Amino acid sequence: MRVHHFNAGTLRPPGGRLIDGRGGLFRRAELVCHCLLIETDTELVLVDTGMGARAVSQPDEWMGRWFGRLVGARPSLEETALAEVRRLGHRPEDVRHIVVTHLDFDHAGGLADFPHATVHVYAEELRALRSPMDVAERHRYRHAQFAHGPQWMSYADSGEPWYGFEAVRELKGLPPEILLVPLAGHTRGHAGVAVDTGDGWLLSAGDSYFHPGELAATPHIPAGLGLFERLVQTVAPTRLHNQRRLRELVRDHPEVRTFSAHSPTELRDLAAAG
């Protein structure tokens, strides 16, 4: 099994160091959409898809005019999961499975680029998409991104123990080295995706935290990014509880390399490490 880390969509929100902790206040911050492409013996598996190719040709429909501008989305065809698959010499139809942390536009926007793939997701996230509980949830998901009719495969958020979490270990059609880990809070059905590389575990924690400092012994996050994190959360107590559990995981189990979806520093470090 070989794992590739790549950026499937750059975000350049205003706020400078209030967002990414670097430089001045009046520059655009830099965030990424950190995705994985996993080469198994027989097929390709994506973990999240980024914004997708149609974010370039149909930005307002695909991302939402207001939200796309708020987060400073900078979609480009070169920064898509589709381009990454082709760069590595594969065809889009070689991607047979996609495992999503959740269904926000910057994580699931590329599903339509791989309409033949099975999409693995927690059942609670599908319920949030199909039966929103409130106005915020109703406006959260970009339904144009799902109009092609994804081939969903959903799971209850319970299973076998994995480092203190109840992970789903048997994802239909996938090798047992790929797991879904419940990390609700940012959305109702938010998940982490754990991958056993043979040399240790990777845990793609999605938006369960936004900044590496949140998992430090003394947690910290730039003020603007922390405010945004709270504004887009669905269940605050659950999100904070799962962050504490991730902090303990990082502290006690260095063999599990944990990373979030939007940190350019984490992406660069993992890509450099191969």
Side-chain angles (χ1 to χ4, degrees), residues 4-140:
H4 304 273
H5 299 262
F6 66 98
N7 175 22
T10 295
L11 306 170
R12 298 300 303 274
R17 69 170 179 265
L18 292 177
I19 302 297
D20 62 15
R22 304 190 307 275
L25 291 174
F26 301 106
R27 51 177 278 278
R28 289 268 176 175
E30 179 197 4
L31 303 174
V32 298
C33 295
H34 186 164
C35 301
L36 303 180
L37 180 64
I38 304 170
E39 296 183 79
T40 73
D41 291 339
T42 58
E43 57 199 356
L44 302 181
V45 181
L46 279 170
V47 176
D48 281 350
T49 67
M51 301 179 201
R54 295 192 202 177
V56 180
S57 59
Q58 305 164 245
D60 290 346
E61 179 183 12
W62 216 243
M63 300 181 292
R65 179 178 300 178
W66 177 83
F67 197 73
R69 284 161 175 72
L70 174 67
V71 300
R74 297 290 188 269
S76 71
L77 291 176
E78 293 76 20
E79 288 184 348
T80 59
L82 198 59
E84 181 69 11
V85 167
R86 288 172 171 156
R87 248 192 311 270
L88 292 169
H90 302 291
R91 303 169 302 164
E93 53 267 32
D94 295 332
V95 177
R96 303 305 305 167
H97 298 274
I98 301 172
V99 189
V100 290
T101 59
H102 61 300
L103 297 175
D104 281 349
F105 87 90
D106 51 336
H107 295 259
L111 292 182
D113 298 332
F114 307 96
H116 46 274
T118 298
V119 183
H120 302 263
V121 62
Y122 271 136
E124 190 63 20
E125 189 71 1
L126 266 187
R127 279 192 288 271
L129 172 67
R130 293 168 171 170
S131 304
M133 294 180 67
D134 53 29
V135 172
E137 206 164 62
R138 187 158 54 248
H139 291 289
R140 177 173 208 129

Side-chain angles (χ1 to χ4, degrees), residues 173-256:
L174 288 173
E177 291 84 3
I178 302 175
L179 320 179
L180 267 177
V181 180
L183 290 173
H186 176 69
T187 65
R188 276 199 277 153
H190 190 284
V193 183
V195 182
D196 184 356
T197 68
D199 296 317
W201 286 91
L202 293 170
L203 176 60
S204 175
D207 287 356
S208 56
Y209 71 98
F210 275 32
H211 187 270
E214 293 183 274
L215 300 191
T218 303
H220 62 277
I221 184 173
L225 189 60
L227 174 62
F228 181 76
E229 183 178 50
R230 294 190 296 275
L231 286 173
V232 296
Q233 69 188 358
T234 300
V235 190
T238 306
R239 179 182 69 80
L240 294 170
H241 172 69
N242 280 325
Q243 272 194 9
R244 286 192 293 270
R245 297 171 76 201
L246 287 173
R247 203 171 297 126
E248 293 166 359
L249 177 70
V250 168
R251 181 193 66 201
D252 298 337
H253 297 284
E255 70 274 21
V256 181

